[in-house]
Amino acid sequence: MKDMALWNEGDWIVAIASVVLALFLIAGAWAVTRKEPEVGGHPKGLYILFFAEMWERFSYYGMRALLIFYLTQHWLYNDSSSNIIYGAYVSLVYITPVLGGWLADRYLGQRKAVLFGAVLLTLGHFFMAFEGTGGQNDPTINIFWLALSFIIVGSGFLKANISVIVGQLYPRTDVRRDGAYTIFYMGINVGAAVGTIIAGYLGQTLGWAYGFGAAGIGMLLGLVVFILGKPLLLGRGEPPRPLAKRTETTMYAIGILGVAIMWVLIQYQSVVGWLMLVCGAALLLYVLIEAFKLEKHPRERMFAILFLIALQPLFWGLFEQAGGSLNLFTDRYIDRQGVPASLFQSINPIYIILLAPVFAGLWTWLGRRGLEPSTPAKFGLGLVQLGFGFLVLVWGAATVSPEALIPVIFLFGIYLFHTTGELCLSPVGLSAMNRLAPKHLASLIMGAWFFATAGGNFVAGLIGAATGGEDGEMTREGTLAVYQQIGWVAIVVGIVVIVIARFVKKLMHLDTLADDDVGDDLEGQAEGPGEPQGAGIHPSTRPQE
């Protein structure tokens, strides 16, 4: 234990994060041990889901903060290759929930799917702690690929389904639902922030095994919380019909088969790209065929949906530089003042916790005065802010000599504008998908939304690889040139979207939108109220244009 007199900024940040985590755990223990069936006006099952998800996000984002450094510093991939692997991994994480949610809806039920996913995730995070000697010739790298495969498939079974159980704790007309999702979203972001800080610190100061081991312990704790808290879920999330043992075993076998498939795909990232391109084209064709079967107003709403979905790959391709190229840039060119680079990944979830209530209140305030931007206009504003964030870093770098480290304030600046951009796009988009899709196509549209998000993550790897230049190694000048280019591209596209927003809004036909047209079946299925790829609050809390 280091003497407190010798603590640096990183040590103090970890200490504060540990205290915050302890306070949340104490409050949670108090809540679930009360004799009353409800605490704070909500069923105790909500707090079980809160802490299960908090630990899952602790493990996922703790590992994510370290992954790009693990690839470059331990397995000795160059910067370009590391970004490609990172992009392929995160894109697969956001594709598998489409299949995991479908299997849960039809066969397993959400509780069993979450439990199975948590087991796979726990195994995957613990496998990450097997370092070997490093380098790509080390046979232990196969355990690393296996670890990523378990995490990808485990996320597929857990990611969307745990959010569904939150919604199932309440009747559809229960006014507490909005507050419940707000509480749940706090768990997502607390886990993301604290996990990034603690696991990142341990991994970069004590050793990779300590950081990944902490992520594994966090996921194990989440699994334990979920198992012990089963009685408090009040029978929610069970299979839609009696589940035969053979059928249940088949579902788990599909999951294990999925691990084997992912073990191959993650090692051949180009295959992932082509697979996404082909599947994306097929999905687009199918959606268009279904759209043309509809009457005029529902059909045009589908066109508006496709327009919004088409912006996803651009937004997330740029936004997800955070875990890849921006993480490496922070490590090498930012004046971190002794703080490990991975800890800066916690800025985004902390900003979300602080700013999401502000944005929720802002939309309400503007809406009451008839000034709230339309959904497509919010998308345009999100893209403009995303691009401006990159330019803030570029301009900040210009304030010092090329040999000097860039002041850390400009890193906080890029994360600030990326977070405000995210809050203009991600929760608003989830709400739009839920609201505009015809009921019989609601699951398809939400799947398309997440598929486009996954595509954006793969694009992020390609953009990150471009920062490596021809030799695959990042340079300050080369990276800033890429950031300036993509920053201006995002701003220009955002302005174009704002200009044409009124025409897209007309396609939404909000004046003829009836309750029967809304995809109510999806309420709660979107994984991310509040996670960095699904920030903000539950779609039903958003006032709409």
Side-chain angles (χ1 to χ4, degrees):
M1 179 72 178
K2 186 188 298 186
D3 191 310
M4 288 184 63
L6 302 176
W7 282 16
N8 58 27
E9 289 87 345
D11 299 324
W12 282 107
I13 292 171
V14 173
I16 293 170
S18 300
V19 171
V20 170
L21 178 61
L23 291 175
F24 269 94
L25 294 177
I26 291 170
W30 177 86
V32 299
T33 54
R34 298 298 89 196
K35 293 183 179 180
E36 300 83 3
E38 294 186 353
V39 176
H42 291 277
K44 290 192 287 187
L46 174 64
Y47 302 101
I48 293 296
L49 298 173
F50 173 102
F51 284 100
E53 178 69 350
M54 185 193 77
W55 282 119
E56 191 273 330
R57 295 290 87 182
F58 178 103
S59 63
Y60 177 77
Y61 282 99
M63 181 275 234
R64 175 180 174 268
L66 290 170
L67 181 57
I68 196 73
F69 300 123
Y70 195 48
L71 287 165
T72 55
Q73 298 171 16
H74 184 71
W75 298 118
L76 305 181
Y77 284 97
N78 65 31
D79 296 338
S80 293
S81 297
S82 297
N83 275 288
I84 291 290
I85 295 170
Y86 171 84
Y89 161 71
V90 182
S91 67
L92 290 171
V93 164
Y94 278 89
I95 288 177
T96 51
V98 177
L99 177 60
W102 184 79
L103 292 176
D105 285 342
R106 290 184 61 88
Y107 303 105
L108 273 179
Q110 286 75 31
R111 186 187 63 81
K112 287 181 181 291
V114 169
L115 185 61
F116 181 55
V119 170
L120 295 180
L121 283 164
T122 301
L123 290 172
H125 284 293
F126 276 122
F127 281 143
M128 287 291 294
F130 287 86
E131 298 181 37
T133 58
Q136 296 164 45
N137 293 325
D138 180 1
T140 312
I141 196 172
N142 290 299
I143 299 179
F144 168 67
W145 299 127
L146 183 64
L148 293 184
S149 303
F150 270 107
I151 294 171
I152 290 167
V153 178
S155 295
F157 278 92
L158 184 144
K159 186 173 276 290
N161 290 312
I162 193 168
S163 294
V164 177
I165 303 177
V166 173
Q168 292 175 346
L169 291 173
Y170 303 85
R172 288 193 180 276
T173 57
D174 196 320
V175 296
R176 299 175 300 168
R177 290 172 65 93
D178 294 353
Y181 275 98
T182 302
I183 292 171
F184 183 71
Y185 124 92
M186 288 291 289
I188 291 173
N189 286 284
V190 169
V194 174
T196 295
I197 292 171
I198 294 178
Y201 174 85
L202 293 174
Q204 289 201 286
T205 57
L206 298 183
W208 304 116
Y210 289 93
F212 293 127
I217 291 171
M219 191 60 245
L220 179 61
L221 291 172
L223 175 60
V224 170
V225 167
F226 192 74
I227 292 174
L228 295 180
K230 178 186 174 182
L232 299 179
L233 299 181
L234 308 175
R236 302 298 190 269
E238 296 304 320
R241 60 188 64 83
L243 183 63
K245 194 67 177 178
R246 182 175 179 179
T247 302
E248 183 175 359
T249 302
T250 301
M251 296 300 102
Y252 299 146
I254 290 173
I256 298 302
L257 176 62
V259 171
I261 293 173
M262 294 302 157
W263 186 81
V264 174
L265 287 179
I266 195 60
Q267 296 181 64
Y268 298 94
Q269 298 85 37
S270 61
V271 176
V272 176
W274 282 108
L275 183 64
M276 293 188 66
L277 185 62
V278 172
C279 292
L283 181 60
L284 173 62
L285 179 62
Y286 181 74
V287 170
L288 286 173
I289 291 173
E290 291 298 315
F292 280 108
K293 295 178 181 178
L294 301 172
E295 296 180 356
K296 183 178 186 298
H297 285 193
R299 179 174 66 249
E300 292 186 349
R301 290 191 195 108
M302 290 288 283
F303 294 155
I305 284 172
L306 289 175
F307 175 82
L308 298 177
I309 288 176
L311 298 173
Q312 285 277 89
L314 173 63
F315 185 89
W316 295 117
L318 274 56
F319 183 93
E320 265 300 315
Q321 296 309 303
S325 68
L326 185 57
N327 216 2
L328 291 174
F329 191 88
T330 301
D331 186 53
R332 300 171 189 178
Y333 306 115
I334 297 292
D335 184 7
R336 298 180 282 105
Q337 301 175 9
V339 178
S342 59
L343 271 64
F344 290 94
Q345 292 288 292
S346 66
I347 298 174
N348 174 250
I350 292 172
Y351 274 155
I352 290 175
I353 293 172
L354 297 175
L355 295 177
V358 175
F359 271 73
L362 175 64
W363 300 142
T364 301
W365 186 83
L366 290 173
R368 288 172 179 168
R369 289 158 178 79
L371 300 174
E372 184 180 8
S374 66
T375 293
K378 289 176 183 176
F379 271 54
L381 290 171
L383 285 167
V384 169
Q385 292 169 87
L386 177 71
F388 186 74
F390 283 108
L391 297 185
V392 166
L393 184 62
V394 172
W395 295 336
T399 64
V400 296
S401 67
E403 296 76 25
L405 293 174
I406 301 169
V408 73
I409 187 65
F410 296 107
L411 186 68
F412 280 88
I414 185 175
Y415 278 117
L416 174 62
F417 285 103
H418 282 195
T419 302
T420 56
E422 177 188 2
L423 289 169
C424 285
L425 183 140
S426 182
V428 175
L430 288 170
S431 179
M433 298 304 107
N434 188 282
R435 189 179 191 213
L436 297 177
K439 190 170 184 178
H440 70 286
L441 296 176
S443 295
L444 173 68
I445 294 304
M446 193 59 74
W449 173 266
F450 279 109
F451 189 92
T453 303
N457 282 278
F458 190 80
V459 170
L462 300 178
I463 295 174
T467 65
E470 294 182 1
D471 61 358
E473 297 299 329
M474 172 186 287
T475 64
R476 172 174 163 150
E477 294 75 15
T479 302
L480 290 173
V482 171
Y483 284 178
Q484 184 172 37
Q485 183 178 4
I486 62 178
W488 283 116
V489 167
I491 289 174
V492 170
V493 173
I495 292 173
V496 171
V497 172
I498 293 172
V499 170
I500 66 175
R502 67 180 66 183
F503 303 106
V504 180
K505 182 181 178 181
K506 289 181 180 179
L507 294 177
M508 297 165 68
H509 295 290
L510 299 177
D511 55 331
T512 61
L513 191 64
D515 287 340
D516 288 341
D517 293 331
V518 182
D520 289 331
D521 292 342
L522 273 183
E523 205 157 340
Q525 289 187 20
E527 193 275 337
E531 121 168 66
Q533 293 213 5
I537 52 181
H538 185 252
S540 63
T541 71
R542 291 273 174 195
Q544 289 299 310
E545 301 76 17

